[in-house]
Amino acid sequence: MHYLPSIIFFLFGQSVVGGVPKFKEDASKFMEVGFNKGRTGTRLAEIAVKFRPNQMFEEGEDLDVEEDLVLEVKSGDGCWTKVDESPVRRGKDKQMWRVKVVPCMEHLVRLGLKKDGCVEYLQYPESVGPATAEEIANSHFRPSIPENVAITPLTSDSVVVSWTPSSCAESYELFYESHGGDDSGNMTVSAGFGSVTVRDLKKCTDYTMYVTAMVGDEFSDAGDADFTTCQTSDDIPEMMTAMQTDESSNTCKQIHKECEIIKPTTIDLVNVTEATFEMKSDPEARIGTANSGSKLVMCSLWMVIMLIAW
């Protein structure tokens, strides 16, 4: 019987410890995700993620929003990307992230709760976007600069121009000019074309090519590249090789280790003097299931009663 106080103290400690925050089953009800609505209208280049931390977590009294939570966004077929900025307060119990995005893509949002060595995720059930072409054009969205403008010679008076597409662009304006100022030209190419052939250039002449992305009445800064029509045929294979992309970079890397959810399923009491806790892994366990801590408290109290009676 002299072990009884120690046993009771241990079990009571197990029952009160465990104030570890976890998502409630209906945690997503306390989140609002969508294009940010400002005073002058909807900002299609920005997503607002609003949430109420005091209502969406169990055992969340000691939750530190900046230290314990992470926000990640997945745009189109891209990878999950961590948002580095911290949320800002909006009222007494609401906080908000602002995330820059491109409006012509579908975006998924998930909130992560940091735990020991892993992160427990809650993905918002609805996606944001894409906005329609008309909505984007009316929003005065300015496209990004076309990058990686490259020139590949074909003949002594023709070249192929290629570039990395600008998100949401409807068309591209190409303008070239010789360094001597005695030859120039321009053309418009619809979005979807990754390259275009420019012909009837002056032989053995130095040029600069400018590529600008267009969305409605808005246009990007110009991407540019210098080239010459003086290349020999030996230069062409080298330039074609330089234009090849590295497909191996398309593999997504895990940002955080995702928590492996384990739910206690049975607790077998062998006899009054010896108790065995059998913890089994449930492959169907999911984020947001009932809090197992309450089950452990009830079982612990039951064991205390049994030991006292004994």
Side-chain angles (χ1 to χ4, degrees):
M1 290 292 293
H2 64 279
Y3 291 111
L4 184 58
S6 298
I7 295 174
I8 293 174
F9 179 78
F10 171 75
L11 292 175
F12 180 75
Q14 290 293 98
S15 66
V16 298
V17 173
V20 178
K22 65 172 296 183
F23 288 110
K24 292 182 179 178
E25 282 190 21
D26 59 348
S28 61
K29 289 172 53 178
F30 305 103
M31 293 180 66
E32 301 173 35
V33 180
F35 287 123
N36 195 11
K37 295 181 180 179
R39 295 179 180 177
T40 58
T42 302
R43 302 169 183 170
L44 298 181
E46 188 175 76
I47 287 178
V49 180
K50 303 174 185 179
F51 65 104
R52 300 179 184 272
N54 294 337
Q55 301 181 45
M56 63 190 305
F57 295 98
E58 296 177 1
E59 306 290 346
E61 294 82 0
D62 298 327
L63 181 74
D64 186 327
V65 171
E66 293 191 9
E67 293 295 329
D68 298 336
L69 297 182
V70 293
L71 182 70
E72 296 177 9
V73 176
K74 184 177 186 292
S75 300
D77 296 328
C79 304
W80 285 104
T81 303
K82 179 179 178 294
V83 177
D84 293 325
E85 293 77 10
S86 299
V88 294
R89 285 190 175 274
R90 284 291 180 268
K92 182 179 179 180
D93 62 345
K94 183 184 291 186
Q95 301 205 31
M96 180 177 74
W97 267 287
R98 289 192 181 99
V99 186
K100 296 296 183 183
V101 296
V102 291
C104 56
M105 300 179 71
E106 180 184 31
H107 307 281
L108 300 176
V109 173
R110 68 181 183 183
L111 189 62
L113 175 62
K114 295 180 182 178
K115 296 190 174 182
D116 292 337
C118 65
V119 173
E120 179 184 353
Y121 285 107
L122 171 72
Q123 183 170 323
Y124 191 71
E126 299 178 6
S127 61
V128 181
T132 66
E134 183 179 1
E135 290 172 333
I136 296 172
N138 293 335
S139 69
H140 303 291
F141 169 76
R142 190 183 186 196
S144 60
I145 182 173
E147 298 180 337
N148 302 319
V149 178
I151 314 296
T152 304
L154 286 180
T155 65
S156 60
D157 64 351
S158 64
V159 296
V160 174
V161 185
S162 62
W163 59 92
T164 299
S166 175
S167 297
C168 307
E170 294 178 330
S171 61
Y172 296 92
E173 184 79 16
L174 277 70
F175 172 78
Y176 62 88
E177 183 177 26
S178 66
H179 292 181
D182 56 349
D183 189 26
S184 63
N186 69 288
M187 63 180 67
T188 301
V189 182
S190 298
F193 290 90
S195 62
V196 63
T197 300
V198 179
R199 304 183 186 277
D200 298 325
L201 298 168
K202 294 189 69 173
K203 296 181 179 179
C204 204
T205 303
D206 295 330
Y207 288 89
T208 299
M209 177 67 68
Y210 303 92
V211 182
T212 304
M214 310 288 292
V215 177
D217 295 330
E218 302 294 326
F219 55 90
S220 70
D221 292 331
D224 61 80
D226 293 331
F227 69 98
T228 180
T229 53
C230 293
Q231 284 103 342
T232 65
S233 58
D234 294 336
D235 297 327
I236 296 178
E238 295 180 4
M239 296 189 68
M240 292 297 290
T241 301
M243 291 174 59
Q244 294 178 357
T245 58
D246 183 9
E247 297 296 336
S248 62
S249 62
N250 293 332
T251 302
C252 291
K253 295 182 179 180
Q254 190 177 28
I255 302 175
H256 299 100
K257 180 182 178 182
E258 191 165 352
C259 293
E260 185 176 326
I261 307 304
I262 300 176
K263 181 176 67 176
T265 55
T266 59
I267 299 180
D268 298 328
L269 296 179
V270 177
N271 52 51
V272 177
T273 59
E274 181 180 356
T276 301
F277 286 79
E278 183 181 351
M279 308 295 284
K280 295 183 179 180
S281 175
D282 184 354
E284 296 182 355
R286 292 292 185 268
I287 295 174
T289 54
N291 188 354
S292 60
S294 59
K295 297 179 181 179
L296 182 59
V297 170
M298 294 301 297
C299 290
S300 299
L301 293 176
W302 173 252
M303 290 179 63
V304 170
I305 294 170
M306 293 294 292
L307 287 170
I308 293 174
W310 175 72

